Amino acid sequence: MLFSRISRIQRTGISGCRWFLFHRPDHHHQFFRSENPLHPTESTQKVLGCRETFSRDLPALHGFSHNIHHQSSSIVEQDPFSLVADELSLLANRLQSMVVAEVPKLASAAEYLFKMGVEGKRFRPTVLLLMATALNVSVPEPYLSGPGDVSTKELRARQQSIAEITEMIHVASLLHDDVLDDADTRRGIGSLNFVMGNKLAVLAGDFLLSRACVALAALKNTEVVSLLAKVVEHLVTGETMQMTSTSQQCCSMEYYMQKTYYKTASLISNSCKAIALLAGQTAEVAMLAYEYGRNLGLAFQLMDDILDFTGTSASLGKGSLSDIRHGIITAPMLFAMEEFPQLHAVVDQGFDDPANVDLALEYLGKSRGIQRARELATKHANLAAAAIDSLPESNDEDVRKSRRALVDLTQRVITRTK
Ligand code: GRG
């Protein structure tokens, strides 16, 4: 039998045509309507300064297998989230208290996405708290800052503060994003702009951002302040790149990866680096922390973009196919375009006409776009795991456990369904 199972999605296109997504045993995905043979294709992309070749086959992925990152240290005895569960609930309480505002309407707007039940996956704080423990290794002599050294407890509190700041910046960006996208849901509930209007949603985002700035300033570490200030610039740059892209930029993998770094990976990568800097770690260790976050963030967004095609709107908390319907061209479609250059003309026409959405999906179904995007996500997940494996050795069981959890997260990111 050609197809192993019918996917979760069974969709009626806007134009009225019915779409079924099949998962095939060979991991090709196919939107039902065509079974055309697939053509090998190869393209070279420049991603964030390094040239990489993405080919139909995998050897081009710099020797990184697309299979699960196998190594002795990746045996996971505990769910990564449960390892930091106590600290995550402290963080939830602290976030609630940090967004208390003088004006009641602003307070209720600002705490909207911090309420129990709509707190999101807490993916970023989990990574950062695990990273804090993973880097809990002695710092070489020249890096010790002398009498000003903070106690272990104080250091942990400062690193927890980075996790809180990161989550506040993240939620602020979600609030602004929903206004820009005119979204009516977020995390399965009405978006703040939908419930309270655009003006209050923008102000609530600004308020969260300002509270994050206050907390950041309190750390009195200018390097960390400038890292996170840069992140906010990147968020705005990435969003603007997406909003203003020309049709040539829309079809460029390099542009897409740069935008993806700005919109998603910069926050987690620079926050990971901040965790290392606060611990007084060496530049090399800080860079490995950054590389872990960068590659994890890229893998995370690539999967998000795949799930926008393959997931259900219930599990994503937003309408499926929302990217393409908003004219946002992501990795699966970019890879499909390499196999079917005719797609360029469809993209150029835009997706206001639902028939164009259906046509693009038809090409995507015939292509290896979903599979190649998945392979790229896997490559970045493996690079993230490799960064953890390159950290200085430690015999401390907590450190090792957190590192295994960070490696485990790289695999969870690429196997997640929501
Ligand atoms: C106000 C800082 C600020 C920025 C304004 C609008 C904008 C500029 C940037 C948008 C950035 C953005 C929303 C990027 C998408 C990032 C992303 C992958 C969000 C989804 O993250 P999840 O799945 O969400 O972790 P949960 O709900 O689980 O927290």
Side-chain angles (χ1 to χ4, degrees), residues 111-119 178 183-195 314 317-318:
E111 66 174 14
Y112 191 69
L113 287 181
F114 291 126
K115 290 250 173 71
M116 284 290 284
V118 287
E119 65 271 74
D178 287 345
D184 49 20
T185 60
R186 168 67 68 183
R187 294 177 174 171
I189 58 168
S191 59
L192 189 62
N193 49 302
F194 185 75
V195 174
K318 61 179 180 177

Side-chain angles (χ1 to χ4, degrees), residues 339-397:
E339 281 177 65
F340 296 99
Q342 312 89 297
L343 250 174
H344 282 264
V346 181
V347 170
D348 281 349
Q349 283 171 23
F351 293 98
D352 291 342
D353 179 356
N356 270 1
V357 174
D358 290 338
L359 191 55
L361 289 179
E362 192 172 335
Y363 280 117
L364 179 63
K366 285 191 267 186
S367 78
R368 297 177 71 249
I370 298 261
Q371 186 190 344
R372 291 185 67 196
R374 211 181 277 282
E375 287 167 4
L376 185 57
T378 305
K379 187 193 82 161
H380 284 292
N382 286 338
L383 285 170
I388 297 301
D389 289 345
S390 304
L391 288 170
E393 268 185 40
S394 166
N395 291 324
D396 184 305
E397 199 34 54

Side-chain angles (χ1 to χ4, degrees), residues 172-200:
S173 77
L174 296 182
L175 295 179
H176 283 192
D177 200 45
D178 287 345
V179 170
L180 293 171
D181 290 352
D182 209 10
D184 49 20
T185 60
R186 168 67 68 183
R187 294 177 174 171
I189 58 168
S191 59
L192 189 62
N193 49 302
F194 185 75
V195 174
M196 292 194 182
N198 281 347
K199 289 180 182 176
L200 217 59

Side-chain angles (χ1 to χ4, degrees), residues 113 118-124 167-178 180-181 186-187 202 205-206 209 231-240 243 262-264 297 300-301 304 316 318 416 418:
L113 287 181
V118 287
E119 65 271 74
K121 295 182 286 296
R122 294 274 193 251
F123 182 66
R124 292 156 190 82
E167 191 66 2
M168 274 198 281
I169 295 175
H170 168 57
V171 172
S173 77
L174 296 182
L175 295 179
H176 283 192
D177 200 45
D178 287 345
L180 293 171
D181 290 352
R186 168 67 68 183
R187 294 177 174 171
V202 169
D206 291 345
L209 207 50
V231 166
V232 177
E233 180 192 328
H234 285 169
L235 286 167
V236 175
T237 304
E239 184 66 29
T240 313
M243 204 195 292
Y262 286 149
K263 276 196 72 174
T264 307
F300 181 89
Q301 187 59 55
D304 220 49
L316 285 173
K318 61 179 180 177
R416 74 193 174 103
K418 60 177 185 164

Side-chain angles (χ1 to χ4, degrees), residues 32-206:
F32 179 66
R33 283 223 315 202
S34 174
E35 293 168 33
N36 277 7
L38 303 165
H39 303 288
T41 182
E42 188 172 85
S43 72
T44 304
Q45 329 285 348
K46 189 164 173 281
V47 179
L48 301 173
C50 59
R51 276 200 103 68
E52 305 182 63
T53 303
F54 309 126
S55 71
R56 183 191 160 102
D57 296 307
L58 285 161
L61 301 184
H62 297 299
F64 282 95
S65 162
H66 77 299
N67 293 320
I68 301 278
H69 176 85
H70 286 296
Q71 53 159 11
S72 54
S73 64
S74 65
I75 306 153
V76 174
E77 65 276 19
Q78 211 175 339
D79 166 9
F81 295 90
S82 69
L83 269 180
V84 290
D86 291 348
E87 272 181 296
L88 285 179
S89 73
L90 277 177
L91 173 130
N93 294 339
R94 279 186 55 83
L95 283 172
Q96 296 243 14
S97 63
M98 284 166 88
V99 299
V100 171
E102 222 173 291
V103 182
K105 200 88 176 161
L106 185 57
S108 58
E111 66 174 14
Y112 191 69
L113 287 181
F114 291 126
K115 290 250 173 71
M116 284 290 284
V118 287
E119 65 271 74
K121 295 182 286 296
R122 294 274 193 251
F123 182 66
R124 292 156 190 82
T126 301
V127 169
L128 296 171
L129 294 170
L130 289 171
M131 184 61 81
T133 309
L135 301 186
N136 210 355
V137 285
S138 60
V139 176
E141 254 339 294
Y143 293 92
L144 289 173
S145 45
D149 270 357
V150 291
S151 69
T152 312
K153 212 170 148 199
E154 212 177 312
L155 169 60
R156 190 73 188 190
R158 288 162 68 75
Q159 290 172 322
Q160 284 168 347
S161 177
I162 291 291
E164 289 152 14
I165 291 161
T166 300
E167 191 66 2
M168 274 198 281
I169 295 175
H170 168 57
V171 172
S173 77
L174 296 182
L175 295 179
H176 283 192
D177 200 45
D178 287 345
V179 170
L180 293 171
D181 290 352
D182 209 10
D184 49 20
T185 60
R186 168 67 68 183
R187 294 177 174 171
I189 58 168
S191 59
L192 189 62
N193 49 302
F194 185 75
V195 174
M196 292 194 182
N198 281 347
K199 289 180 182 176
L200 217 59
V202 169
L203 290 169
D206 291 345

Side-chain angles (χ1 to χ4, degrees), residues 169 213 216 223-235:
I169 295 175
C213 289
L216 195 52
E223 204 176 350
V224 167
V225 171
S226 61
L227 275 184
L228 286 163
K230 196 81 185 155
V231 166
V232 177
E233 180 192 328
H234 285 169
L235 286 167

